[in-house]
Amino acid sequence: MINKLIANIKKTGAPIVVGLDPMLNYIPKQIQENAYKEFGETLEGAAEAIWQFNKGIVDATYDLIPAVKPQIAMYEQFGLPGLAAYKRTIDYCKEKNLVVIGDIKRGDIGSTSAAYATAHLGKIQIGSKTYAPFDEDFATVNPYLGTDGVKPFVDVCKEEKKGIFVLVKTSNPSSGEFQDRIAEGRPVYEWVGEKVAEWGADFMGDGYSYVGAVVGATYPEMGKVLRELMPKTFILVPGYGAQGGKGADLVHFFNKDGLGAIVNSSRGIIAAYKQEKYAEFGEANYADASRQAVKDMVQDISEALENR
Ligand SMILES: O=c1ccn([C@@H]2O[C@H](COP(=O)(O)O)[C@@H](O)[C@H]2O)c(=O)[nH]1
């Protein structure tokens, strides 16, 4: 799947991923009203609204982007109907030839990680039948439990030719509380980065490993160190836009080949119509505002890379 991600990035010239993190307060009133008319003000109604909202965004942007990253928490908050909307979104994006990164941040003791890996990246056998329950292309993985918590994901990825992005240095303000602690002379995120490179070393696609890393755009200096420490690791970079990251902060996340990183923006794209910059689009044209926000993000990153 890393090869498809790289091919899609080359085709679109856009090293970005649109984060599908729908919240009810981003969803235009008309979409919500239509959904509630059909399903009532219920979890089912909310799930229909987020699905219709996502579909609008995907239809307006799929030709410009290589990948999407649905954040499972935004769907889980609507219970089982929300998870059905998560799955519907994944299937639709795959129909549109987009790479789907499930932002699930799982990781547990080995046997439990194996079940998570089966649910999101693998297949489950039921009698004579086989099912791929969620079937994302990549999933995000929390490495806090160590190698036996990550290995089941790597094993499933090997079987299914899928991939993972392991949390190395997250974008949030408190990420340093544990991740920046010095252990044996080096910050913990460096130890994790080195381990990620090791987990992925014998699992390579076109120049890059199927085992990637998550490093926040909000910590550009650490991104530079980690880029050098993990030269063959693809980096998923959240924190652009709503969290303050800009194109100029991102140049060291990329290798000289212009590849090696994919930058996520969720609220900055899907709720673009709420920003003053895109206000002229209006609520009804929220998807057109998202399309423009994608173009602006690509231009911002491309210019930064050209001027580095
Ligand atoms: O370090 C991390 C890891 C994951 N995320 C996720 O990315 C998006 C960011 O949303 P924005 O609206 O673009 O801020 C969201 O799903 C987070 O859970 C992250 O932000 N940082």
Side-chain angles (χ1 to χ4, degrees):
M1 220 19 100
I2 191 73
N3 292 348
K4 179 170 178 186
L5 181 62
I6 292 169
N8 277 7
I9 291 171
K10 285 183 176 164
K11 190 177 74 188
T12 56
I16 71 159
V17 48
V18 170
L20 295 173
D21 295 27
M23 294 282 283
L24 279 183
N25 62 340
Y26 309 153
I27 301 184
K29 289 274 162 307
Q30 195 56 56
I31 295 181
Q32 291 193 50
E33 275 171 27
N34 290 346
Y36 300 152
K37 222 179 269 168
E38 197 175 347
F39 294 97
E41 291 179 342
T42 59
L43 295 173
E44 286 76 11
E48 172 66 13
I50 62 175
W51 153 246
Q52 291 297 344
F53 176 70
N54 282 353
K55 183 173 180 302
I57 302 228
V58 173
D59 287 344
T61 59
Y62 77 95
D63 59 319
L64 302 177
I65 59 171
V68 292
K69 182 179 77 64
Q71 165 56 259
I72 199 166
M74 299 305 180
Y75 303 81
E76 271 178 17
Q77 65 184 328
F78 302 110
L80 294 180
L83 283 177
Y86 177 74
K87 175 64 176 148
R88 202 169 174 188
T89 299
I90 291 167
D91 290 347
Y92 190 67
C93 291
K94 288 171 80 167
E95 269 173 40
K96 295 282 186 191
N97 200 37
L98 294 167
V99 170
V100 177
I101 303 167
D103 197 347
I104 60 169
K105 296 190 184 71
R106 301 298 156 92
D108 207 304
I109 64 164
S111 53
T112 308
S113 275
Y116 280 137
T118 296
H120 289 280
L121 300 170
K123 296 197 180 82
I124 185 96
Q125 182 90 24
I126 301 172
S128 59
K129 301 241 158 76
T130 305
Y131 299 90
F134 285 104
D135 206 19
E136 299 98 320
D137 298 313
F138 286 84
T140 55
V141 170
N142 186 334
Y144 199 67
L145 280 86
T147 299
D148 65 287
V150 175
K151 197 172 169 292
F153 288 96
V154 176
D155 291 344
V156 170
C157 285
K158 278 186 180 158
E159 270 165 40
E160 303 292 337
K161 306 263 175 296
K162 294 196 173 181
I164 53 174
F165 289 100
V166 180
L167 301 181
V168 172
K169 172 65 190 171
T170 58
S171 65
N172 54 310
S174 309
S175 72
E177 275 176 16
F178 304 128
Q179 296 166 20
D180 299 1
R181 286 277 168 136
I182 302 298
E184 294 176 41
R186 299 164 75 202
V188 166
Y189 62 79
E190 282 192 24
W191 288 108
V192 180
E194 223 166 61
K195 209 68 191 161
V196 167
E198 189 187 310
W199 287 326
D202 63 345
F203 190 28
M204 297 292 297
D206 292 339
Y208 287 94
S209 172
Y210 279 67
V211 179
V214 175
V215 182
T218 44
Y219 297 103
E221 287 308 314
M222 298 171 187
K224 189 175 177 182
V225 171
L226 287 163
R227 174 72 289 163
E228 280 165 20
L229 202 66
M230 321 175 290
K232 298 196 162 137
T233 303
F234 228 86
I235 305 180
L236 171 64
V237 189
Y240 182 93
Q243 294 177 52
K246 298 180 203 63
D249 302 326
L250 300 170
V251 290
H252 299 300
F253 288 78
F254 289 85
N255 276 323
K256 297 265 175 310
D257 60 4
L259 291 169
I262 184 158
V263 184
N264 178 80
S265 178
S266 304
R267 289 167 289 179
I269 303 289
I270 67 171
Y273 76 98
K274 288 192 173 264
Q275 295 173 39
E276 212 177 297
K277 186 174 175 191
Y278 302 107
E280 72 197 55
F281 285 95
E283 190 175 279
N285 299 313
Y286 75 99
D288 295 331
S290 295
R291 183 173 174 87
Q292 188 57 47
V294 164
K295 288 183 177 171
D296 291 347
M297 179 178 175
V298 174
Q299 191 181 349
D300 178 36
I301 295 170
S302 303
E303 280 176 6
L305 287 174
E306 274 160 29
N307 297 327
R308 73 173 156 169

